[in-house]
Amino acid sequence: MSELLLDAYYDLTQVGEVAVSPDGERAAFTTTEYDPDADESVASLFVAPTDGSRDPHRLTRVSGASSPTWSPDGDRLAFLASRDEDNDLRVGREAEDEEDEEEEEEEADANGGNGDEEPKSQVWAFDLALGGDAAQITDFEEGVREFDWAPDGERLVVTARDPTDAESEYLEERRDGGPVETERVQHKLDGVGYLDTVTSYLFVVGEDAVLGDDAADADSARKLEDAYGRGAFEGLSGLQPDWGAGGEIAFVSYRGDDPDSTLVTDVFTVPPEGGDATAITDGDLTCNTPTWSPDGERLAFSAGDDTNWCIPTEARVWDGDEHVPVTGDLDRTLARGSSFEWVDDGTFYTLVGDEARTRILECDAAAADWERTFEAQGDDRAVSGLSIDGDTAALGLSHPSEGHDPYALPVDDLAADEEPDSLTRLAELNDDLTDEYEMPEVRRVTFENDGWELSGVLYNPPDYEPGESDPAPTVCAIHGGPVSYDEPVFDFTHAAFTSRGYLVFRPNYRGGSSFGRKFCETLHGQWGTVEASDIAAGVEDLVDRGWTDPDRVFGHGFSYGGIAQGYLVTQYPDLFTAAAPEHGIYDLRSAYGTDDSHIWMENEYGYPWENQDAIDASSAINDIGNVETPLLVAAGGEDWRCPPSQSEQLYVAAQQAGAECRLVVYGDEHHNVGDPDRAIHRLEEITSWYRRHDPEVTDPDAEDPHGRESEE
């Protein structure tokens, strides 16, 4: 097989959310594909039978399609989307003649297309019993962010911003290029932009709109005046409404005096007719994802510490009188994006990060107890997303060489120790890539440092034999967070590296999650210490094994993975042959107030003027005089999590300290990889940088920017 061409990224399909129908017979799931002409991602919504008897049926391709949610009777499938029309965008690189393209453009223009102003996200729904196109359910001025069905299937609760006349006038001025005007401490959020004072509320959408007769807006829907959003990160997290069988709607918000200076969020309930909201937590937790049991008597939710993110986030259950921890003695944090999937009135399943593996827990709500399950997952697959309804569970499974796809199986078979015959793969979304190109093999490795037994994930080319093959060039890829972890996954970037002969080493350093509070807390308030030591020790272990060539080790990492590289190149100047820190922070003092994370800084370090020594000790910029490693520094021009000024400081300082450097800034990108052209350009830059500084590469220009070998 040939090495993975970088522009094959256009052919990549990424799985999003999965949702099982109430009878368990169908699963809806979203994917992200890529349109090379428009240079944009395209979200698609599919439905497949959970027994695998038919291929998935594509319902729609629309911008930002998300949140597939079945009606209680299973006849309708609602989702969020932000396009006025379901244009049949092409994805991948299949040929299409110019006449067809012109016809599509003319049709899009006739239907409004994107116009000068992007359409807002609204609720749409397919009637799968009657067939036909999706009907638009809502038409709110500022769009809809989230929703849930009423138990009767005749109403919806939605979250929508509701600007006053003065706020609408200000927003219009902003859209026309007017200034940002604010008195908020939390004045911006990454991916959202500069914030305003517009309040989000819960609205109940009535039967006429749900049936598609007349889309609901703020005037026709019932506004629940006491169910409003508030809090520093409410612009990202939302109100998360869940409408229970008992009639009450649960949601999260904040009611204290300092909404922009705390991470506290409480769980509330409110009747759908309106009236006062009732708090069921008491202002000292970060709560998310409230989910009612089938009978509406219990409410599960996640609860994290509001000041210390090293304390594991746990599952709690409210029984109408009090809320009690269910996973409190597990010492493992709930996985990011985990949900609560009730199978009866006393039992739910959820996802937890457990020793660098996302795995499924079965939880007894009445006994406040838990049990690890689904051993059939194995050690080389990651679970992403879980949905349970009827007697069926659907989940995403990601395997480095097999792809990332939706699967289904009976709930009872989650207890299987070995893979059951009932585990059904609903789609093979990336079989073109996995069949045509070499995908990596994977193994877990362990090593020791400072008396700790540590682990990591190692990806290698299929023809590489650890201990038998010659030492190989190695990319040390560092996860973000730092409160996170690495496990084996299907990843285009990993395959791009391994198909070019690199090993990819992903160390699970101290300060990450999934190994308990003590493991995580060793880094708290002292960045640039134990994690740098652990990463260096992991690389040295691979060198000692004879697997890694010590003269060909390359740094790689995004967000905290970029931050960690700043520590590594200043503290261990001989570790990396070249490094590529992306979207990082290198001067904690100047990051304060220019990023969107002042609360995290205050919780971990205190104010910059009160704890200057610790903050400066964690700022790699202060040791930049030690740097010798060639640095490829990348940033997003509108990244408010790790502002571009941080990367510019590192770049200029390292240049002046004598290191060879290159700076790449993606002008309107925030804290992510971005559109496909940028994702490809990113890999072009990184692979080119590594080749340029690889002592074994005699002609760094022998590979063109698209990853194709030169014919000269």
Side-chain angles (χ1 to χ4, degrees):
M1 291 186 178
S2 60
E3 65 185 28
L4 180 60
L5 303 183
L6 300 185
D7 56 6
Y9 191 92
Y10 286 119
D11 301 323
L12 177 67
T13 300
Q14 297 178 311
V15 180
E17 300 153 292
V18 61
V20 177
S21 62
D23 60 9
E25 295 182 0
R26 292 171 292 178
F29 62 92
T30 60
T31 66
T32 298
E33 301 163 286
Y34 299 101
D35 176 9
D37 289 339
D39 181 29
E40 66 181 12
S41 60
V42 181
S44 294
L45 177 62
F46 291 84
V47 169
T50 53
D51 63 3
S53 58
R54 295 192 309 276
D55 289 338
H57 174 63
R58 187 193 298 268
L59 288 176
T60 186
R61 292 185 181 100
V62 289
S63 178
S66 65
S67 305
T69 308
W70 295 89
S71 63
D73 61 8
D75 286 344
R76 287 164 292 172
L77 181 63
F79 60 99
L80 292 175
S82 55
R83 291 188 72 89
D84 294 325
E85 295 293 331
D86 180 13
N87 298 320
D88 188 20
L89 298 174
R90 74 183 180 93
V91 294
R93 296 174 294 166
E94 297 176 359
E96 181 176 318
D97 61 53
E98 294 182 2
E99 183 177 345
D100 288 344
E101 291 181 4
E102 291 174 359
E103 289 178 358
E104 286 187 1
E105 290 173 1
E106 291 173 1
E107 183 179 352
D109 290 341
N111 289 324
N114 284 326
D116 294 332
E117 184 177 331
E118 293 290 331
K120 303 293 186 180
S121 178
Q122 305 289 352
V123 181
W124 300 69
F126 283 99
D127 190 322
L128 299 181
L130 297 177
D133 293 334
Q136 185 172 347
I137 306 301
T138 64
D139 190 22
F140 282 78
E141 175 186 348
E142 290 288 306
V144 169
R145 295 170 55 191
E146 51 201 350
F147 70 96
D148 191 33
W149 288 95
D152 59 16
E154 297 179 355
R155 294 168 292 169
L156 293 174
V157 57
V158 306
T159 302
R161 283 159 48 89
D162 189 32
T164 64
D165 291 343
E167 288 169 336
S168 292
E169 182 179 350
Y170 167 72
L171 293 176
E172 187 63 33
E173 291 174 352
R174 281 280 311 278
R175 283 190 282 266
D176 291 339
V180 174
E181 301 171 1
T182 186
E183 296 182 14
R184 292 189 58 176
V185 175
Q186 188 72 44
H187 62 288
K188 59 184 176 181
L189 286 176
D190 183 68
V192 177
Y194 286 100
L195 301 181
D196 49 49
T197 60
V198 179
T199 302
S200 293
Y201 291 89
L202 295 185
F203 290 83
V204 173
V205 173
E207 182 177 3
D208 288 346
V210 170
L211 294 177
D213 295 335
D214 190 13
D217 59 17
D219 293 327
S220 61
R222 180 188 299 121
K223 179 179 175 180
L224 306 183
E225 295 282 356
D226 203 35
Y228 57 89
R230 200 160 173 261
F233 284 83
E234 186 272 328
L236 289 172
S237 60
L239 278 73
Q240 307 166 40
D242 190 77
W243 199 329
E248 294 284 295
I249 300 170
F251 67 98
V252 298
S253 188
Y254 176 72
R255 292 291 188 268
D257 297 330
D258 53 350
D260 282 349
S261 298
T262 180
L263 297 180
V264 168
T265 48
D266 282 307
V267 178
F268 295 83
T269 63
V270 67
E273 297 77 24
D276 293 338
T278 301
I280 67 170
T281 56
D282 46 13
D284 58 357
L285 296 168
T286 300
C287 300
N288 287 290
T289 327
T291 309
W292 290 102
S293 60
D295 62 2
E297 296 295 323
R298 290 188 172 99
L299 187 66
F301 59 95
S302 69
D305 190 272
D306 65 307
T307 60
N308 184 352
W309 60 348
C310 296
I311 298 175
T313 298
E314 60 190 24
R316 292 198 172 205
V317 171
W318 180 67
D319 62 5
D321 294 318
E322 61 178 350
H323 55 89
V324 296
V326 176
T327 60
D329 60 345
L330 178 61
D331 195 28
R332 296 290 185 270
T333 194
L334 296 183
R336 186 171 299 163
S338 60
S339 59
F340 301 99
E341 303 297 323
W342 291 89
V343 292
D344 56 43
D345 296 329
T347 308
F348 65 86
Y349 288 81
T350 192
L351 299 178
V352 67
D354 187 22
E355 298 194 4
R357 182 165 58 150
T358 302
R359 62 178 307 165
I360 301 173
L361 286 186
E362 180 181 3
C363 298
D364 184 332
D369 200 6
W370 50 268
E371 181 180 359
R372 294 176 174 89
T373 190
F374 197 47
E375 290 295 339
Q377 170 188 347
D379 207 37
D380 56 357
R381 290 190 296 195
V383 175
S384 63
L386 177 67
S387 174
I388 295 176
D389 218 329
D391 297 322
T392 304
L395 66 162
L397 286 176
S398 181
H399 187 281
S401 60
E402 297 174 4
H404 180 188
D405 292 304
Y407 287 74
L409 75 165
V411 172
D412 289 345
D413 287 349
L414 287 173
D417 291 333
E418 298 182 358
E419 183 170 313
D421 293 338
S422 62
L423 183 65
T424 303
R425 193 175 188 173
L426 304 183
E428 295 184 44
L429 298 171
N430 288 287
D431 55 341
D432 288 345
L433 288 175
T434 57
D435 290 345
E436 184 175 356
Y437 299 106
E438 287 188 341
M439 294 292 119
E441 294 182 350
V442 68
R443 70 196 69 237
R444 291 179 184 262
V445 295
T446 59
F447 57 97
E448 293 185 358
N449 188 44
D450 290 344
W452 290 78
E453 182 174 293
L454 304 165
S455 70
V457 180
L458 185 72
Y459 300 85
N460 60 267
D463 60 356
Y464 175 84
E465 294 291 338
E468 297 182 14
S469 300
D470 291 337
T474 299
V475 175
C476 180
I478 306 165
H479 70 67
V483 183
S484 185
Y485 54 92
D486 271 318
E487 60 185 325
V489 293
F490 175 74
D491 187 278
F492 187 91
T493 300
H494 295 158
F497 287 143
T498 58
S499 71
R500 285 161 173 75
Y502 296 98
L503 307 182
V504 178
F505 173 53
R506 302 203 68 111
N508 280 305
Y509 52 84
R510 280 174 290 169
S513 60
S514 84
F515 293 92
R517 176 177 178 177
K518 182 179 179 182
F519 183 91
C520 187
E521 215 160 33
T522 55
L523 187 62
H524 190 69
Q526 49 181 357
W527 292 5
T529 57
V530 298
E531 87 282 40
S533 175
D534 290 347
I535 295 165
V539 172
E540 291 164 2
D541 181 80
L542 296 180
V543 170
D544 291 342
R545 295 175 190 234
W547 297 4
T548 289
D549 184 339
D551 297 322
R552 304 174 72 195
V553 179
F554 303 93
H556 176 69
F558 189 99
S559 192
Y560 200 87
I563 295 169
Q565 286 180 82
Y567 304 132
L568 289 162
V569 298
T570 52
Q571 297 177 32
Y572 302 88
D574 297 326
L575 182 67
F576 292 147
T577 307
E582 302 179 85
H583 295 242
I585 289 176
Y586 313 100
D587 182 354
L588 270 63
R589 188 194 297 251
S590 64
Y592 181 80
T594 63
D595 62 17
D596 68 353
S597 308
H598 72 94
I599 301 175
W600 294 340
M601 169 73 76
E602 293 160 6
N603 287 342
E604 191 155 353
Y605 283 92
Y607 295 112
W609 55 92
E610 292 180 348
N611 198 14
Q612 299 180 31
D613 291 345
I615 289 173
D616 288 346
S618 293
S619 298
I621 200 77
N622 291 322
D623 297 315
I624 202 66
N626 300 332
V627 70
E628 300 173 2
T629 308
L631 298 180
L632 171 66
V633 185
E638 295 184 3
D639 184 347
W640 302 143
R641 187 62 42 81
C642 298
S645 57
Q646 291 287 312
S647 294
E648 293 165 358
Q649 286 185 67
L650 178 68
Y651 169 72
V652 171
Q655 284 270 36
Q656 295 299 84
E660 182 182 356
C661 298
R662 178 175 174 84
L663 176 67
V664 179
V665 179
Y666 297 104
D668 58 353
E669 201 57 69
H670 53 94
H671 197 63
N672 70 351
V673 171
D675 290 327
D677 278 0
R678 289 177 181 161
I680 293 169
H681 183 270
R682 164 184 179 256
L683 287 175
E684 291 170 357
E685 287 284 334
I686 293 170
T687 54
S688 175
W689 190 252
Y690 293 167
R691 288 175 61 84
R692 177 172 164 179
H693 296 95
D694 190 332
E696 297 296 318
V697 175
T698 57
D699 185 3
D701 298 323
E703 183 180 273
D704 78 9
H706 295 284
R708 294 182 285 262
E709 292 296 330
S710 171
E711 297 179 357
E712 296 182 1

